[in-house]
Amino acid sequence: MTLFAPAPRRRSRARRVGWTSVLVAVLLAVVASLLPSPYVIEMPGPVFNTIGTQEQGTGKDAKEVELIDVQGHRTYPTAGALDMLTVSVQGTATQRPPWTSVIRALFTKSQAVVPASAIYPPGTTTQQVNQQDAADMTNSQQSAVAAALVHQGYEIPTRLEVGTVQPGSAADGVVREGDVVTAFDGTSLTTNADASTLRSLVARHGTSSPATVVVERGGATKELSVTPRSEQGTALLGVGVTERYDFPFSVKIQLQDVGGPSAGMMFALGIIDETTPGKLNGGKHVAGTGTITAGGEVGPIGGIRQKLYGAKDAGATVFLAPEQNCDEVVGHVPAGLDVYAVRTLDQAVTDLQTIASGRSTAGLARCGS
């Protein structure tokens, strides 16, 4: 009768081994989930109304400050909102989000998982990236003022000042920091020109022959001969230029703790709204994004999906998106948000005027149509 007695012990041992395996697997999963990933997570960031205010300062010194401050020119009442949008990034150059956050973000429509190297290139620090973002914001604001005033018919003298010369580049030893570039191969760069204009001219020239670069240096005009070199398939001089403009009146953009160039178009629209009669947006809640050149060209930006959801959460019903971002817009538009595709500041103004007037918007460009 005891012939089969050992069997329960074998079953008991098997159960113990099974439960141990499960516990080990769970432990490994927990440890793996807490390990840092090679990714960062993009999500909707703070939203700022360019025709509104931002609280600045702390404690008793805190006060509401106009984002756009115009002096020396008549201003007009505004209404509604012209929101600029931001993207927050979870993760830094040295600290990455855990895998649990990454997996959660993969199933969250308003978030995106991107390689950390796309935000923090190898060898760069968080501080360096933040400094570059701050410089991009400053340049973008100046371009926005220039674009808004050019749209209104002003001639804006421009100076492209060389801030950096890359060692070993085509310009090294020829162009100097502090030089003011006034022409490239006979094309003047003194009115409505910006860094992108110079880059386009250099790319068009190519690398097969010397180009003539005219600069102002120490009060004298010099003609320099530089042969652009190919870097990653693009002809480049190897200089970094900063746009300097002579404006007919003062326009200060007072925004703190935000970097990057993507608010350019919305700042330009805000300036136009404040310095011209009527309400450009018709009092509606409008949001948008896009870089801007002094000539009014609207360029693509990163994080468009997060900005769409940020706009929706802020209460916007109309969204102006760069045409070059349309492939990322299609299929990711939150319900209730009407998206229009724009290529230039002039087009963005026309679109808003059409929307504000209540006229049919059937003829306006949209992503996917």
Side-chain angles (χ1 to χ4, degrees), residues 65-197:
V65 176
E66 296 282 341
L67 261 67
I68 297 174
D69 179 40
V70 178
Q71 300 292 330
H73 188 281
R74 182 179 177 182
T75 58
Y76 299 86
T78 60
L82 289 171
D83 284 345
M84 58 153 286
L85 307 149
T86 67
V87 174
S88 293
V89 177
Q90 182 184 349
T92 68
T94 55
Q95 294 181 320
R96 306 283 192 267
W99 281 102
T100 48
S101 297
V102 170
I103 293 170
R104 190 182 306 117
L106 289 172
F107 295 94
T108 305
K109 290 182 178 181
S110 63
Q111 297 182 8
V113 175
V114 298
S117 58
I119 308 296
Y120 303 103
T124 62
T125 65
T126 302
Q127 182 181 15
Q128 289 172 330
V129 171
N130 290 341
Q131 287 174 341
Q132 183 59 55
D133 284 346
D136 288 342
M137 172 59 80
T138 299
N139 290 336
S140 173
Q141 291 174 354
Q142 291 298 292
S143 295
V145 177
L149 299 189
V150 168
H151 171 80
Q152 296 179 61
Y154 289 95
E155 289 289 330
I156 308 297
T158 309
R159 290 177 290 124
L160 296 183
E161 184 176 308
V162 177
T164 58
V165 179
Q166 183 181 339
S169 67
D172 190 16
V174 183
V175 181
R176 298 179 185 175
E177 292 182 9
D179 284 351
V180 175
V181 182
T182 59
F184 182 89
D185 269 356
T187 299
S188 173
L189 295 171
T190 57
T191 303
N192 301 344
D194 56 24
S196 66
T197 306

